[in-house]
Amino acid sequence: MTNEHASRTPSGRPSISPSGSPTAPQITLRSPAELADALPYLLGFHPTDSLVMVAVHGEGGRFGGRLRLGIPTAPAEWEDTARLVAESLIQGSERRAGKPDGIILFLCQDPRAGESGQRVMTRLRPLAQRIRLACGALDVPVLEALCISGGRYWSYCCPDERCCPAEGSVLAAPGTSVAAAAATFAGLRIRGSLREIEARLEPLRGATAREMERALDQAAATLVPRILDGATRQEIGTETITLARTLMQRLTLAPPVEGGPGADDWDDALLGHDEAATLILGLQDRETRDIAAEWMEDEEAASALRLWRALARRCVGAYGEHAAAPLTLAGWVSWSTGDEPTARIALGLALRADADYRFAQLLHQACNEGIDPEGLRACLRAERRRREPRRKRTAALTRPPGRKDRGGRREDRGGRREERRTSGSDR
């Protein structure tokens, strides 16, 4: 959540104060219950199967960087995971806002079949303890550690049965807490659960996936001989960008009538397998992908995001690693347009597809550290301005004789331009 602060109450509990404008009401969260309820607003979605850490800075307790990671299924991995997440959050915070004064930890996992929430809390206790020790080794205490499971929460730090009973405490009903009121006042919203957001980006399945994989095989068989026959990388890149623009235009002219999965089904139906396959393979080129990243704002952003999501869903079977490119572009557009929660999820999935995908690594780190994306937007705008005049000059050379250019001028057969004049004024 933006503009939040955390501080310690006299009892030692963390508290959160959304600070907004100077006249905004100050709201303090003093209990594990209020912290648990605030978590979806901190992230922008309901975390599922997630380890979440939030840095706390200063006496006023300003909330800083946050980190979310899927909970490793193998307990043998917990020691290394604890050290990694502690170092990542603390060192990242040091680079941006100084060393944190504390950390709040959340472990969120739904019960397995036949398992109770209390059993989940007990099973994850060693992981919480390892993270507390790893943070302590870096001289940053864990102020509160909560387990959230099955609609209840438990504190790993509070031994008082009066406020933290062994059977756990029931979470507040959605939308009824102080955090919910503060988020509504600030115009913030929860975008569903982590699982729901990830589902919009995951590969298609069944017969459709098999058809798509065959299309990808065919596209790869067509592209490789072209490269070997001398087709240049720039020519293939130009074709890829032209196809992407065509598909974005198609999506723009056919907006979905509903959101969520229904909108995804609509977009999937608008793209042919062969078109998607050609575009997926073309985006594996770094320079082509960087040009596509320029569609990050204004009217281009919405159709670009729809296209990148659809392409990510088409990276099926043996082509799962190819999803890193469209997922990274989806994450970038989301971040550029202010949807940081979705951006983090998309970029995390990109790194799951290809852990070494450098563009995703850099964006994921920058987004998590709260860096303003405007710096990258400015670089991409400048690159586009540098390249677009060259593209326009090329278009002018290939324009049919007598065709008007965008400025309303007409070229004669000798290439000379005749200015239009209306009422004695140039246009």
Side-chain angles (χ1 to χ4, degrees):
M1 184 186 295
T2 57
N3 295 324
E4 287 189 342
H5 293 73
S7 61
R8 293 186 218 182
T9 63
S11 63
R13 293 246 183 246
S15 65
I16 305 172
S17 302
S19 57
S21 66
T23 58
Q26 296 297 306
I27 300 170
T28 301
L29 308 180
R30 292 188 172 90
S31 69
E34 291 171 336
L35 281 171
D37 186 71
L39 180 58
Y41 300 99
L42 284 169
L43 297 177
F45 56 88
H46 291 282
T48 46
D49 193 31
S50 295
L51 181 167
V52 181
M53 297 169 65
V54 183
V56 177
H57 295 268
E59 283 200 30
R62 177 178 56 82
F63 266 19
R66 61 214 65 184
L67 176 153
R68 191 207 67 81
L69 186 73
I71 296 176
T73 55
E77 300 176 10
W78 289 357
E79 187 76 37
D80 289 340
T81 298
R83 185 173 62 256
L84 174 66
V85 294
E87 291 175 353
S88 179
L89 181 60
I90 293 170
Q91 292 174 3
S93 296
E94 285 179 322
R95 288 193 296 270
R96 295 294 301 162
K99 189 170 185 176
D101 294 286
I103 286 172
I104 298 176
L105 168 66
F106 301 87
L107 296 178
C108 310
Q109 191 171 78
D110 293 334
R112 301 167 181 168
E115 187 178 41
S116 67
Q118 185 173 4
R119 175 57 187 160
V120 173
M121 180 273 295
T122 301
R123 177 165 51 79
L124 295 180
R125 185 186 293 277
L127 174 58
Q129 183 62 16
R130 283 172 169 79
I131 294 172
R132 293 176 69 184
L133 290 172
C135 292
L138 297 174
D139 296 322
V140 179
V142 172
L143 304 178
E144 181 61 278
L146 298 178
C147 177
I148 301 175
S149 180
R152 292 176 175 266
Y153 68 88
W154 290 260
S155 171
Y156 290 117
C157 297
C158 179
D160 193 339
E161 283 277 338
R162 292 171 298 178
C163 63
C164 298
E167 66 274 15
S169 302
V170 178
L171 291 168
T176 62
S177 67
V178 175
T184 301
F185 179 82
L188 302 176
R189 64 186 181 91
I190 298 176
R191 295 165 174 81
S193 71
L194 170 64
R195 197 168 286 129
E196 290 168 343
I197 297 173
E198 287 184 337
R200 303 191 66 184
L201 299 165
E202 291 175 343
L204 299 172
R205 294 175 180 160
T208 303
R210 291 190 290 273
E211 293 171 3
M212 185 65 221
E213 188 166 13
R214 285 194 292 271
L216 284 161
D217 287 339
Q218 181 60 46
T222 302
L223 183 61
V224 171
R226 284 191 59 207
I227 295 174
L228 294 177
D229 285 344
T232 67
R233 187 165 129 188
Q234 184 176 1
E235 287 173 348
I236 295 173
T238 299
E239 292 172 6
T240 300
I241 293 300
T242 300
L243 176 58
R245 287 184 180 276
T246 299
L247 297 182
M248 285 170 57
Q249 179 69 7
R250 185 185 302 170
L251 293 170
T252 299
L253 294 175
V257 295
E258 59 179 300
D264 297 336
D265 293 341
W266 176 268
D267 289 345
D268 289 336
L270 290 172
L271 303 183
H273 289 329
D274 55 343
E275 295 172 321
T278 300
L279 195 49
I280 287 168
L281 293 174
L283 287 173
Q284 303 309 305
D285 177 69
R286 180 182 60 80
E287 292 183 7
T288 304
R289 180 211 63 203
D290 289 350
I291 293 173
E294 295 169 3
W295 307 326
M296 60 191 171
E297 53 193 348
D298 300 329
E299 66 278 1
E300 291 178 328
S303 58
L305 181 57
R306 291 169 63 191
L307 179 58
W308 307 145
R309 280 198 302 245
L311 293 180
R313 294 191 293 270
R314 302 290 186 105
C315 294
V316 297
Y319 296 88
E321 190 173 279
H322 287 62
L327 284 168
T328 301
L329 290 169
W332 163 237
V333 174
S334 297
W335 184 30
S336 178
T337 54
D339 186 356
E340 290 187 14
T342 301
R344 292 189 184 97
I345 293 171
L347 294 169
L349 289 175
L351 292 173
R352 189 185 302 176
D354 183 354
D356 297 322
Y357 200 70
R358 188 59 175 160
F359 192 31
Q361 290 175 340
L362 294 173
L363 290 179
H364 195 244
Q365 179 178 344
C367 187
N368 282 334
E369 293 185 5
I371 296 174
D372 189 342
E374 179 55 27
L376 180 54
R377 280 197 298 257
C379 290
L380 290 172
R381 290 190 205 106
E383 178 60 22
R384 187 172 189 173
R385 286 192 299 268
R386 183 193 66 78
R387 192 184 65 260
E388 293 265 321
R390 181 177 62 196
R391 185 170 64 85
K392 291 177 180 177
R393 287 195 299 271
T394 301
L397 291 174
T398 59
R399 189 179 299 121
R403 182 177 176 180
K404 294 177 182 178
D405 66 13
R406 286 189 176 182
R409 296 179 294 268
R410 185 180 298 275
E411 293 179 351
D412 63 19
R413 292 185 180 272
R416 295 181 296 275
R417 289 175 177 168
E418 178 187 327
E419 297 290 339
R420 291 193 308 174
R421 298 179 183 273
T422 303
S423 302
S425 299
D426 289 345
R427 286 190 180 179

